[in-house]
Amino acid sequence: MNVTKKLIELDERYKANMYRGQLDAESLWLFEDRKSRVVVSAPHATQTYINNHIKKSDLYTGALAELLGYQTGCSVIVRQKFVSETALINDFVLRQNPDEHFFLDIHGMRERPFDLAVGTGFMSAGEYFRPLTLIKELAEKYRIKMVINHPDYRGPWGLTGFYQSQFKKPGALQLEWRPEMRNFYHNAENVTTRTLPFLDELVRRLEDFLPVW
């Protein structure tokens, strides 16, 4: 499979209608349930109405999440269309019996001096010792400069904080990627030799040791 070509093909779903996605889709969410323990989510793959304004899409995150599902057999939840009302992934996830799952919530951050920001919500990094140890190992392997709990990319908001508040355990991580690590149109080598292999191995190895913490 030509990975870059497949990503561009998958991205058509999200870039349609000026990045508002599949406006005629019946469901707001593309949910591919493969009965995995690890779930990859991309809640801003299209434009999102939030906090009384329209948030730009986190470009390319939808295609990356979908391809990870195909490659690893993990379940995937991706926003596939814009709606002009607040509709967060939290409510959808809560209806899917998420207590037995671990979520990797993929986002896109602006240009930063690091490639990846990992956020542990309002819980401490120590409560995520095993997954963070694995992430550090993989970041070194794939030459990814990462930070943990940068103040701009952590806190009680988003799926990670929501999951923690609902279930009182560390069952989600926020993964923020800078543009050069997710733009497979202009930075295909980064995406196909670093970002995707990192995420692919992370999903597979998390699946092996979950839910033991």
Side-chain angles (χ1 to χ4, degrees):
M1 177 180 65
N2 183 313
V3 174
T4 303
K5 183 177 178 181
K6 183 62 176 179
L7 285 166
I8 291 172
E9 176 187 316
L10 291 170
D11 195 46
E12 291 297 322
R13 173 190 296 275
Y14 308 103
K15 67 186 289 189
N17 297 302
M18 301 295 291
Y19 295 97
R20 295 192 172 200
Q22 305 298 300
L23 295 177
D24 58 350
E26 182 176 347
S27 173
L28 172 59
W29 302 100
L30 172 69
F31 180 32
E32 297 177 337
D33 185 5
R34 298 185 175 93
K35 309 302 179 185
S36 61
R37 286 175 290 180
V38 176
V39 181
V40 172
S41 53
H44 302 298
T46 70
Q47 291 180 14
T48 309
Y49 186 82
I50 188 169
N51 296 329
N52 297 314
H53 76 281
I54 297 175
K55 179 191 181 303
K56 293 181 179 180
S57 62
D58 287 350
L59 295 174
Y60 324 118
T61 56
L64 288 169
E66 275 201 78
L67 188 63
L68 278 172
Y70 296 145
Q71 289 185 169
T72 68
C74 72
S75 299
V76 170
I77 303 174
V78 184
R79 183 184 297 270
Q80 64 178 343
K81 70 174 181 178
F82 171 82
V83 291
S84 56
E85 59 186 24
T86 300
L88 303 180
I89 193 172
N90 304 350
D91 301 321
F92 181 81
V93 165
L94 196 58
R95 298 195 296 270
Q96 311 306 321
N97 190 28
D99 187 28
E100 299 303 319
H101 296 83
F102 189 92
F103 289 82
L104 295 173
D105 197 36
I106 297 178
H107 296 260
M109 63 182 172
R110 59 187 173 86
E111 184 62 50
R112 303 302 298 247
F114 40 85
D115 302 316
L116 170 65
V118 181
T120 67
F122 54 77
M123 289 186 171
S124 70
E127 292 175 272
Y128 283 88
F129 176 77
R130 288 193 70 186
L132 288 180
T133 298
L134 173 58
I135 286 172
K136 290 174 184 177
E137 174 192 331
L138 295 177
E140 183 175 353
K141 178 178 178 179
Y142 293 108
R143 298 173 292 106
I144 292 170
K145 186 176 181 181
M146 60 162 287
V147 297
I148 297 173
N149 287 335
H150 186 283
D152 291 346
Y153 307 114
R154 70 162 310 183
W157 52 83
L159 179 58
T160 300
F162 173 78
Y163 187 100
Q164 293 168 353
S165 67
Q166 289 291 314
F167 301 107
K168 314 303 179 188
K169 65 180 184 179
L173 280 172
Q174 183 174 338
L175 303 180
E176 299 266 355
W177 293 94
R178 73 182 180 122
E180 289 85 349
M181 298 301 289
R182 52 191 161 86
N183 185 340
F184 39 80
Y185 294 95
H186 298 129
N187 305 99
E189 185 174 357
N190 275 348
V191 175
T192 59
T193 67
R194 297 168 68 197
T195 306
L196 266 175
F198 169 93
L199 288 169
D200 185 293
E201 191 168 346
L202 177 60
V203 169
R204 294 177 193 274
R205 291 178 64 180
L206 281 174
E207 189 76 20
D208 286 342
F209 72 66
L210 288 174
V212 180
W213 298 100

